[in-house]
Each structure stands twice: as structure tokens, then as C-alpha cells.
């Protein structure tokens, strides 16, 4: 045996191995190069370093004190991150957004630019990072991944106003500062009555937004109720109640049931005819237009307030006897209404109702309705059906009705904002699979995300259809499903649907196989929306409102701050509801529907919190009796309530003594001797005050005139007749501290300037009343503050 | 380097500033300077000299952002103009004023567009 010489043969596998090793090595080198030289974030940081050095050089050249020159090469190029162990977050966003807290970078493009606004002053990037507010994938260092628009990242970067939805992690107040869209959305959730059916945790108060229905049968006509339930928008374009898609049988039932809610006292009251003209005077005095739409302008836009319902066409629906009873005591019909109690006698109420009915009737509609046949009264079956439907649809979520409590069994929304995306039902809708997109689409068009009912192979079609027929109440009175051949059972189903008014009477099953018949029946029932439909009505919100609502829902999240110490301090919200005589009057006249007192009420009219510091008691007393408009261009004023004398005395006394902060404008009380009205007059000119305020007919019309004339008012109405020095002083010192949204600028006046201006303002008294005012001084001791020293 | 600037994001950034500025403008300035910034607000008839018309292109050739920041925050008086323009520096913060200026810069273009639209209608 001879040893064969061992020749080393290079097998083809080895060649492959070698080549792939070289290739892998090459790729490694390439990756190392990319990561260390051309990574996205490196280029951003290099550019940033360059901008820094350019800016530093420029600063040196203009010898501005911006500091020594910075060399681009000194700037370390490295991964930067905010590490937030408590939040379990590592945010590397600042690796690219390097200039985020550098105000000098405001003029730079993304990603180098500074954060807009002053929000980082209270939320520094090292303490709060970025993704707590913005969401996105904090650990990533390339654009696509970081912004979170990648599969399986449930919290992509929030865009636009959606950022406001994360404020509520730490800000638990009802109103979040700097988040106006969120605040608006939350307000809408309450206003639209969402919280009547959906539970939302403790965050939102559940008030019933619709009218109480206890006497609705005495209030409206049967015809109107039918039409309203079928399509509210057809009756009133500016309606608040959304439309429920209901078959006519269901509407018959609901109407029959609601018409049984009657009040015998109203039905049997005798009713003389009222006087239109007298009623019209009462209407104007009562300033109904502040809260109600009462007319249409030339372009058919509604004119009037939206606090109460629109009054257009109420003549077509309302029973005058009910209206008269309502005017005399609105709170017994609507305990939570914002409508004030007026002092209407029965005669006045009749006159006002006469005006209302003649003024707000659509006579064409009335004529058309007169030709329609009268509706039959409801049968006992219909009434029972209506009661079941009222409960099934949870009408009590918005409307109070004795004996019908609300169920609030719609899907709970307490944590909707943090529900994982895969648990949300998108149906076949072509929208991106994100929570904001889901919420927006659902609100905009609730049914677009809903799965249509379909038959699945293997299940009994008759059982499945029967199980999903809605509204359930329409069918529950019938017997349970009969046995028999499938064809017979389908025919029975069709019969039931016809009986309930869901399908047209003339329909019949097509000939063919039972499978074909079943599919036809499903199609027909789907067409009328009777198969497992969504209960949620379509509110048809505007794009803007939809976004606000979606943002508010996004904020209902389980994700919150890891510790209580991140909670923003709650602003104390004291509810103004005194149990004294004034409180009684407030509840009767509902002052808080227009006025703010401390943090309660609305700002439709003036804030009364410091009314005692603001105005003279005597003026206030006369004003309550004879209110007038504060602005030349405004015809709207406080209603004339015809307060009994003891009430207007009590209210003016109470406000003068209780609505007072002794610190407000205290400097005026200390230093008023040093004030000089003459100097103040010069200042008034020099500071351009007349750009906005008129004095004796000269000046602008932005703020109120300082020399308002109100004929026949029994007291001076010039600014010096009305306002107190302490308030004028405090106002001039810082108007926004008193009324945050006022457009009177804070002029940064010196103490002496404020004193002089205050003295000048107080010197503006109507000479006609000078003598009388001097007599009043003994009462309130503040009217002689404005002596003019010359 | 400049090619790295992410174009549309920067655009939206500027647009956001203009939009914020418009809100501030509508609240504080519109009553004198007018809804379209043409110096024809509700209160302008009461003022002599009349409020500035921001559609005037010659005006924009004369001023820069810094000067505008001064006149808005310290009032007309500070640059020898009318006292009827008050100082807003204690009412608005600097970033709000920056936003307002960003909006004001869009006024001439908006005015041109509006004029063109009107012409095509006639």
C-alpha cells in the first residue's frame, strides 16, 4: 500500500464559507461605519454643533453678551437621553431634538428647533422626558421607529391637539390649563349627554341633559311627539336630541307611553286668551334671547343663545296651558334648569304664552298638519311596549321620568384611552389602527366601525336572527320560537318582523332554498337596521367637536403618573351655594346661569366675586331694579326681574358686605391722599386710554364708556358714580389678575401713576347727581374718594 | 447638511405658530386692526392716527421682527408712534408676540388672495 499523496482539495462549500465570511465582515464594517459616522442622529448633532458655533460667532461679532465662541468640534456627538426610572421610561428623543430647551434654536428647522411656548419651563425635559406627554417610542433613535408609526407600537406620537389628552395623567382638575381642546371635549361629553349612558369614572358629572318628562303628555301634541321621535332634525334644524333609527312600530309605542305622562292640574285649568302685545313687552324685559334662539337672521341663521332650547316652532308643539304653568314655576317642571324664576302672575304668564305661541309658530307646517288624519290614542299594548323601549334604549340616561331609572349600561369609557388597539373593533373601516383614529371615526360616524350582522356557516339561521333582532322590546311580547321546518320558521320570523312594524306588510320570502330565503331575510332586516344595530345615536358632531371629544376620551386612561408627587396641585373649587336668604334668592333667580361667583357659575355676565369692592351699594340697588346695557353697542342687558324692594335691598346689601376681599386695592385706601386727579387726567391722555374708553363722547368703543348716560336712571351712571376706588386701583394694577381674558392691557404703571389715574377716574361723576351722591356718601363711605385737587 | 432639514415638519411648525398668532390677534388686536389686518377694525373709526394696515407691503420692507417685538411689547410711544397703541409686554408673553408677528407676516399674501378672489367673482 502506498500512501497516496494528500492533495488538499478546496471544496465548493469552503469557497462559499469564505465568501460569506468576507461578506459578513464587510457588512459588519459597513454597519460600524453607518452607526459611527452616518447615523441619522449623528448628522443632526453635527448640524446642531455647526449652528451653535455660527450663532456664537455672530453673537461675538455683535458683542452681545451671549458668551464665548463655541467650536463645533468641542460639541460631543453622543446618544443623549432622559432617564425616568419612576415612569419606567428612557427617552432618547433629545438625541435628535438637541435644541429642544435652547431658546436660541427657535429659528431652526426640525429636529433642531426649540420647544414652542413656555411649557418646558414647568415641565423640564430632564424631569419629564418627552413621551410622557407626546407618546411615541422613546428608546428608538431613528425617526420612523421613534415616532412610533411601526407595527405593534400602540402609542404612536400624538399629533396636533391630541397631545392635550395626556395632561390628565397629572392634572386632575376639571379644567386643565393650556389644554383648551381637551377642556372643550370634556364639556361636550357632559353637554351631549354621553355620560348619561356611559360610565366614565368620577371624572365627569352625570347630569341629565334632556328635559324632565313627567308632564310631557300635557306639554306637547301627539303629532309633534311622533314626528320628533322619528326625526328631530326635520322639525328643528338646531335640535339637540340625536336621532335614533327606530322602526315605526317602536315610535308608536314610545309616543303612546310618553303621552300617558300627564298632569291633571294643567289639563283641567281654565284658560282665558292672552294679549300678544303685552306678552311681547314681557319677552323683551325678560331678555329671553340671551338663552334661547328666538329668530332667524337674513341668511336663516339662528339668532339667540344656546343655553336653553331653541324657541322656533314651539307654537307647533306646545300646549298653552302647560306653558302658562311652566312660566309661573319653571323649577317644578325642570329642577335643574338654568332658567331663572321670574315673578310672572298668571295673567302675565298667559300674555307671554300668547306672544310665544303666535310668534313662534310655523303656519305652513300647522296647515299641513291640520290636513293629516288625527292619530289614534295608544293601545294598552303600545303603552306597555313604549315603557319597555324607554328602558331598553335607556332614554332615562338623558331624561328624568318617574318610575324609569337610568341603566347606564352602554360600554364603560373609564379607561377607553388606554384600551389596547387590538381590543378595539374597527370592522372593515379603512382607517389606521390607532386609538385616536378609532375614537375619531367612531364619533364622527358610529356605524362605520360596526360589524354588520352576517350568518355563519354551521349555525341555525333562524336562531341567530331571532337572537339578534332589535329593538328586543318589539319582539319580547311574542312567544318563543316555534319548532318546525326551517322554511316555516323563517316565514314565522318574517311575520313577527311585519307585526312589529320593522318590515313592510307586503314583503314575502322569495322562492328557492331555505338558505336563500334566510339570506334574503338577513338582507331585508339589515336594510332597516334591525339586526344587532348599534344603540348609540349619531350626534353628527362637527369635525372640530369630534376631535375635541376624541381627545377627551383619549384622556380617560388607566395610564397615570407613577406617584402622587407628580400630581399638579388642584385648584380649590369652592361651590357657591350659601344656605342663607341670599342663597335662596340665587336659587330662584339662578344668578349663576350668567354670573360667576368665586369659582361657580358662568361668565356670560360680570363676575360678582368682588362686587362689593367694585361698585357702590346705592348704584347696585338701583341697577337691580333698572338694569341697563354697559356698552353702547350692546342691546343685551340683565333681564328686568321686577325684584320686590326688600329683595333688591337684601341683594345689594349682601353683595356690598360679603362679595369683598379686603386686600383688593388696599393700597388705594392707604394712599388715596397722595392721589392727584389732575395728574391722572394727563396720564389718561399720555397712556392712550381714550383709544378704548370714551369720556364725554370722545374716544374708542372697546371698553365701556366712562361717562355712560342712562336717561331716567335714578342715580349717576358715570364711572365715578358707580365704581369704588379700591377696585379701580386693583384693576389698573393688573387687569388680568381680576379677569384673565380681558383685553385691557396691563400697562405696568407705577404706584403713583395708578393712584393718580384712579383719582381721575373717580372724579368722573355725572354733575346732575353730584348733590344726591354727596348724601349717599354717608352710607358707603367711598364716594368722596375722587376729590379733584387743583 | 441643510438637506437633512425635514421640510414638511418645519412647515407645519411655522404654520402652527401662525395659527397660534391668529388666535392671539383675534382676541387682542382685531378690534382695532381689523379681521384681515387691514387696519379697519370696529374701533378704527374712533382712532386718529388710524391703526396700522398690515397688508401694506411697503411697511414690511421697513420693519423687521425685532422692531415689531418692541412696538408690540412696549407700545407705540416707545418708537415715537401714537400712544393709542398700548404696550402689551405685560399682558402677552414673548412667544405669544412672536406668534402674532408670524401671523402678521401672512397678512399681505392673504389680502392679495382675497382681492384676487373678489376680482374673479366680478
Amino acid at each position: 500500500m502506498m500512501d497516496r499523496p494528500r492533495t488538499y482539495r478546496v471544496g465548493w462549500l469552503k469557497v462559499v464559507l469564505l465568501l460569506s465570511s468576507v461578506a459578513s465582515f464587510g457588512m459588519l464594517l459597513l454597519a460600524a461605519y453607518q452607526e459611527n459616522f452616518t447615523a441619522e442622529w449623528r448628522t443632526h448633532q453635527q448640524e446642531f454643533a455647526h449652528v451653535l458655533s455660527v450663532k456664537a460667532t455672530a453673537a461675538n461679532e455683535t458683542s452681545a453678551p451671549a458668551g464665548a465662541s463655541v467650536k463645533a468640534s468641542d460639541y460631543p456627538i453622543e446618544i443623549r437621553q432622559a432617564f425616568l426610572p419612576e415612569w419606567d421610561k428612557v427617552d432618547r428623543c433629545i438625541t435628535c431634538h438637541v435644541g429642544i430647551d435652547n431658546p436660541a434654536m427657535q429659528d431652526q428647522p426640525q429636529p433642531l428647533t426649540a420647544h414652542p411656548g413656555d411649557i418646558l419651563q414647568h415641565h423640564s425635559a430632564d424631569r419629564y422626558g418627552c413621551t410622557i406627554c407626546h407618546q411615541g417610542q422613546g428608546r428608538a433613535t431613528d425617526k420612523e421607529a421613534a415616532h412610533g408609526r411601526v407595527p405593534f407600537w400602540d402609542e404612536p406620537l400624538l399629533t396636533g391637539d391630541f397631545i392635550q389628552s395626556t395632561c390628565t395623567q397629572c392634572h386632575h382638575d376639571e379644567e386643565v390649563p393650556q389644554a383648551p381642546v381637551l377642556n372643550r371635549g370634556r364639556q361636550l361629553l357632559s353637554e351631549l349627554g354621553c355620560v348619561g349612558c356611559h360610565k366614565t369614572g368620577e371624572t365627569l358629572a352625570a347630569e341629565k341633559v334632556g328635559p324632565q318628562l313627567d308632564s310631557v303628555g300635557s306639554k306637547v301634541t301627539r303629532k309633534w311627539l311622533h314626528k320628533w321621535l322619528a326625526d328631530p332634525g326635520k322639525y328643528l334644524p338646531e335640535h339637540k336630541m340625536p336621532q335614533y333609527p327606530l322602526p315605526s312600530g317602536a315610535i308608536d309605542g314610545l309616543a303612546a307611553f310618553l303621552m300617558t305622562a300627564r298632569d291633571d292640574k294643567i289639563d283641567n285649568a281654565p284658560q282665558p286668551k292672552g294679549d300678544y302685545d303685552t306678552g311681547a313687552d314681557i319677552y323683551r324685559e325678560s331678555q329671553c334671547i340671551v338663552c334661547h334662539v328666538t329668530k332667524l337672521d337674513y341668511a336663516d341663521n339662528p339668532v339667540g343663545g344656546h343655553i336653553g332650547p331653541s324657541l322656533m316652532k314651539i307654537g307647533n308643539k306646545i300646549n298653552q296651558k302647560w306653558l302658562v304653568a311652566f312660566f309661573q314655576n319653571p323649577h317644578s317642571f325642570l329642577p335643574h334648569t338654568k332658567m331663572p324664576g321670574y315673578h310672572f302672575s298668571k295673567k302675565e304668564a298667559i300674555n307671554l304664552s300668547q306672544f310665544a305661541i303666535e310668534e313662534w309658530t310655523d303656519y305652513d307646517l300647522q296647515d299641513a298638519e291640520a290636513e293629516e288624519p288625527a292619530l289614534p290614542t295608544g293601545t294598552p299594548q303600545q303603552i306597555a311596549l313604549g315603557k319597555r323601549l324607554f328602558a331598553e334604549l335607556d332614554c332615562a340616561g338623558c331624561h328624568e321620568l318617574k318610575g324609569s331609572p337610568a341603566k347606564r349600561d352602554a360600554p364603560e369609557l373609564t379607561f377607553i384611552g388606554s384600551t389596547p388597539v387590538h381590543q378595539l373593533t374597527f370592522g372593515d373601516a379603512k382607517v389606521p389602527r390607532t386609538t385616536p383614529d378609532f375614537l375619531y371615526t367612531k364619533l364622527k360616524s358610529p356605524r362605520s366601525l360596526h360589524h354588520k350582522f352576517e350568518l355563519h356557516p354551521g349555525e341555525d339561521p333562524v336562531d341567530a336572527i331571532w337572537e339578534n333582532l332589535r329593538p328586543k322590546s318589539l319582539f319580547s311580547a311574542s312567544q318563543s320560537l316555534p319548532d318546525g321546518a326551517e322554511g316555516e320558521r323563517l316565514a314565522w320570523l318574517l311575520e313577527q318582523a311585519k307585526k312589529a312594524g320593522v318590515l313592510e306588510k307586503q314583503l314575502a320570502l322569495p322562492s328557492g332554498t331555505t338558505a336563500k330565503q334566510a339570506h334574503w331575510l338577513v338582507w331585508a332586516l339589515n336594510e332597516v337596521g334591525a339586526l344587532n344595530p348599534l344603540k348609540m345615536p349619531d350626534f353628527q358632531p362637527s369635525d372640530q367637536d369630534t376631535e375635541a371629544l376624541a381627545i377627551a376620551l383619549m384622556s380617560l386612561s388607566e395610564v397615570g403618573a407613577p406617584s402622587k408627587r407628580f400630581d399638579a396641585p388642584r385648584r380649590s373649587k369652592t361651590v357657591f351655594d350659601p344656605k342663607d336668604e341670599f342663597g335662596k334668592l340665587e336659587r330662584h333667580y339662578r344668578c349663576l346661569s350668567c354670573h360667576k361667583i368665586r369659582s361657580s357659575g358662568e361668565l356670560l355676565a360680570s363676575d360678582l366675586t368682588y362686587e362689593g369692592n367694585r361698585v357702590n351699594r346705592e348704584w347696585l340697588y338701583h341697577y337691580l331694579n333698572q338694569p341697563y346695557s354697559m356698552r353702547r353697542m350692546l342691546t343685551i342687558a340683565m333681564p328686568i326681574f321686577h325684584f320686590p324692594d326688600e329683595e333688591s335691598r337684601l341683594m345689594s346689601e349682601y353683595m356690598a358686605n360679603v362679595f369683598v376681599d379686603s386686600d383688593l386695592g388696599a393700597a388705594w385706601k392707604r394712599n388715596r391722599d397722595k392721589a392727584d386727579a389732575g395728574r391722572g387726567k394727563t396720564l389718561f391722555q399720555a397712556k392712550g386710554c381714550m383709544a378704548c374708553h370714551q369720556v364725554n363722547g370722545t374716544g374708542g368703543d372697546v371698553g365701556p364708556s366712562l361717562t355712560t348716560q342712562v336717561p331716567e336712571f335714578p342715580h349717576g351712571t358715570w364711572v365715578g358714580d358707580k365704581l369704588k376706588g379700591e377696585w379701580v386701583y386693583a384693576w389698573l394694577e393688573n387687569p388680568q389678575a381680576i379677569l384673565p381674558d380681558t383685553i385691557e392691557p396691563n400697562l405696568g404703571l407705577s404706584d403713583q401713576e395708578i393712584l393718580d389715574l384712579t383719582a381721575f377716574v373717580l372724579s368722573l361723576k355725572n354733575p346732575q347727581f353730584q348733590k344726591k351722591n354727596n348724601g349717599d356718601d354717608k352710607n358707603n363711605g367711598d364716594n368722596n374718594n375722587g376729590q379733584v385737587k387743583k | 447638511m441643510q438637506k437633512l432639514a425635514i421640510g414638511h415638519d418645519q412647515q407645519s411648525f411655522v404654520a402652527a405658530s401662525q395659527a397660534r398668532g391668529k388666535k392671539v390677534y383675534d382676541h387682542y388686536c382685531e378690534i382695532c386692526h381689523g379681521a384681515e389686518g387691514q387696519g379697519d377694525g370696529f374701533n378704527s373709526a374712533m382712532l386718529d392716527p388710524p391703526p396700522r394696515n398690515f397688508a401694506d407691503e411697503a411697511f414690511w420692507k421697513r420693519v423687521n421682527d425685532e422692531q415689531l417685538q418692541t412696538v408690540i411689547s412696549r407700545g407705540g410711544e416707545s418708537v415715537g408712534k401714537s400712544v393709542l397703541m398700548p404696550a402689551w409686554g405685560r399682558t402677552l408673553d414673548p412667544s405669544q408676540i412672536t406668534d402674532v408677528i408670524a401671523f402678521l407676516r401672512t397678512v399681505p399674501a392673504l389680502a392679495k388672495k382675497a382681492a384676487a378672489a373678489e376680482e374673479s367673482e366680478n
Side-chain angles (χ1 to χ4, degrees), chain B residues 22-39:
Chain B
K22 167 110 172 78
K23 273 187 197 160
V24 177
Y25 176 89
D26 284 352
H27 189 72
Y28 294 97
C29 322
E30 184 246 319
I31 194 151
C32 292
H33 289 283
E36 265 91 54
Q38 308 201 12

Side-chain angles (χ1 to χ4, degrees), chain A residues 758-773:
Chain A
T758 305
F760 169 66
V761 167
L762 290 185
S763 74
L764 295 169
K765 293 173 195 266
N766 189 339
Q768 252 179 289
F769 292 92
Q770 276 300 31
K771 220 173 180 182
K772 194 169 179 295
N773 275 355

Side-chain angles (χ1 to χ4, degrees), chain A residues 173-177 568-573:
Chain A
D173 274 329
E174 223 167 279
E175 294 237 319
V176 180
R570 280 171 190 258
R571 281 164 301 159
S572 61
K573 190 172 181 189

Side-chain angles (χ1 to χ4, degrees), chain A residues 247 392 466-472 474-475 502 529-533:
Chain A
E392 183 184 346
W466 181 242
E467 210 40 48
N468 287 287
L469 268 176
R470 296 286 185 281
K472 203 88 209 141
L474 280 174
F475 304 98
V502 171
L531 278 176
N532 194 23

Side-chain angles (χ1 to χ4, degrees), chain B residues 55-71:
Chain B
D56 175 12
E57 299 201 11
F59 167 74
W60 289 105
K61 290 194 183 111
R62 286 203 301 277
V63 295
N64 59 30
D65 284 4
E66 214 169 307
Q67 287 165 317
L68 285 171
Q69 191 88 30
T70 310
V71 70

Side-chain angles (χ1 to χ4, degrees), chain A residues 24 29 113 132 241 329 354 480 526 539 602 647 660 746:
Chain A
S24 305
L29 283 180
T113 188
I132 291 175
M241 175 161 150
N329 190 357
Q354 190 67 36
S480 53
N526 265 334
F539 287 87
E602 305 286 336
E647 287 186 4
V660 169
N746 177 349

